[in-house]
């Protein structure tokens, strides 16, 4: 029997990008994992914690720990939410903190836990990668997503200029500081367009929603697509439609 994995889908993915969650399941099962989706999972409490509602975040941390108890690993297609669980939960609740150490962002689970960089993917398109802030700065995933993308057959990976700059989303930051957020987004879109990529990918749908929304409004033709959906695609079973 393979590694028993619980999918922590996250609110945004579950609500707006369910194809990403399906892609994670397909990918992990292809790699021999036994994947479950605990139905009791809810929000991790990041927005509550970040806006000062600590008591609410503690309640959600307790619920999260109970929902994901008993699995070998918990995998999330989000550096932001995985970072909340792993880095903040230990300060919120003892049991949640213990469970947090078995929580991984997708790319680090693939590379560090399963020990794979070639997942058998095929995606014949020009792609650029945006490293999201929490995955980069909180979790320190580093070049793991790039390692995975470099092993995707047919994929033309182009470097994103000023890649480590924030896209401007930042959850409630985009609401509270809309003008600054929009200016940061404009810079990020300019750099994406400089690559002449067909697809911009990342490990967080929150950032992709922000970047992709801007690119769509400008009718650039550049598509935003989560890393999991690229890695889930094979020549025999293409996951994503042609950009």
């Amino acid at each position: 029997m393979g590694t028993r994995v619980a999918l922590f889908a996250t609110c945004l993915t579950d609500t707006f990008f369910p194809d990403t969650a399906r892609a994670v399941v397909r990918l992990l099962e292809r790699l021999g994992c036994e994947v479950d989706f605990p139905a009791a999972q809810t929000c991790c409490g990041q927005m509550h914690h970040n806006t000062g509602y600590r008591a609410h975040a503690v309640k959600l941390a307790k619920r999260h720990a109970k929902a994901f108890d008993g699995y070998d690993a918990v995998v999330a297609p989000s550096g932001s939410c995985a970072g909340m669980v792993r880095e903040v939960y230990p300060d919120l609740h003892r049991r949640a903190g213990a469970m947090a150490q078995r929580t991984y962002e997708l790319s680090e689970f693939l590379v560090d836990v399963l020990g794979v960089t070639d997942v058998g993917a095929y995606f014949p398109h020009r792609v650029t990668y945006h490293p999201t802030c929490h995955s980069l700065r909180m979790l320190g995933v580093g070049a793991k997503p790039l390692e995975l993308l470099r092993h995707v057959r047919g994929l033309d990976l182009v470097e994103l200029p000023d890649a480590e700059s924030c896209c401007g989303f930042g959850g409630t930051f985009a609401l509270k500081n809309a003008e600054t957020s929009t200016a940061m987004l404009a810079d990020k879109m300019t750099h994406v367009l400089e690559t002449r990529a067909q697809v911009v990918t990342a490990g967080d749908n929150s950032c992709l929603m922000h970047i992709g929304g801007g690119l769509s409004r400008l009718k650039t033709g550049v598509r935003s697509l989560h890393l999991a959906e690229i890695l889930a695609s094979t020549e025999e079973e293409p996951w994503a439609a042609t950009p």
Side-chain angles (χ1 to χ4, degrees):
M1 183 180 295
T3 304
R4 190 163 178 255
V5 176
L7 169 62
F8 170 30
T10 79
C11 298
L12 198 70
T13 292
D14 184 53
T15 305
F16 295 110
F17 303 98
D19 278 349
T20 297
R22 296 187 187 102
V24 174
V25 174
R26 172 170 159 177
L27 172 62
L28 293 181
E29 288 184 341
R30 191 169 79 217
L31 295 173
C33 295
E34 178 187 348
V35 185
D36 191 19
F37 177 80
Q41 64 181 283
T42 58
C43 177
C44 67
Q46 180 181 157
M47 293 185 69
H48 306 73
H49 178 266
N50 290 350
T51 49
Y53 292 91
R54 180 183 172 90
H56 292 74
V58 169
K59 290 180 181 178
L60 288 166
K62 291 179 180 177
R63 180 184 179 93
H64 188 95
K66 184 177 180 180
F68 288 96
D69 187 38
Y71 292 94
D72 298 328
V74 178
V75 177
S78 166
S80 179
C81 297
M84 171 66 184
V85 172
R86 204 160 77 213
E87 301 299 317
V88 180
Y89 272 20
D91 183 53
L92 296 181
H93 184 254
R94 180 184 58 79
R95 184 180 175 190
M99 182 277 303
Q101 301 313 308
R102 301 193 306 275
T103 298
Y104 303 91
E105 179 269 342
L106 177 63
S107 71
E108 61 179 359
F109 179 74
L110 294 172
V111 176
D112 292 343
V113 180
L114 297 186
V116 296
T117 52
D118 187 342
V119 298
Y122 173 76
F123 191 76
H125 305 292
R126 186 176 176 90
V127 177
T128 194
Y129 169 73
H130 164 65
T132 65
C133 289
H134 282 129
S135 65
L136 187 69
R137 297 174 175 87
M138 182 178 279
L139 294 179
V141 303
K144 294 179 181 68
L146 292 171
E147 291 177 40
L148 291 161
L149 288 169
R150 290 188 185 108
H151 284 87
V152 176
R153 290 187 304 112
L155 189 147
D156 178 15
L157 182 63
V158 287
E159 183 177 355
L160 180 65
D162 199 18
E164 295 186 3
S165 292
C166 177
C167 71
F169 182 66
T172 56
F173 174 84
L175 300 176
K176 295 178 179 178
N177 305 277
E179 291 184 1
T180 303
S181 173
T182 300
M184 295 170 73
L185 172 62
D187 288 343
K188 181 61 66 173
M189 289 192 298
T190 296
H191 294 315
V192 170
L193 294 174
E194 287 173 0
T195 69
R196 296 183 292 108
Q198 297 169 285
V199 174
V200 56
T201 191
D204 280 84
N205 274 322
S206 52
C207 301
L208 288 172
M209 180 176 68
H210 192 53
I211 299 169
L215 292 169
S216 176
R217 286 191 295 274
L218 293 179
K219 295 179 170 56
T220 63
V222 181
R223 184 181 181 193
S224 59
L225 194 66
H226 194 283
L227 175 68
E229 297 180 60
I230 292 176
L231 298 180
S233 182
T234 64
E235 193 166 7
E236 296 74 23
E237 297 181 89
W239 180 263
T242 301

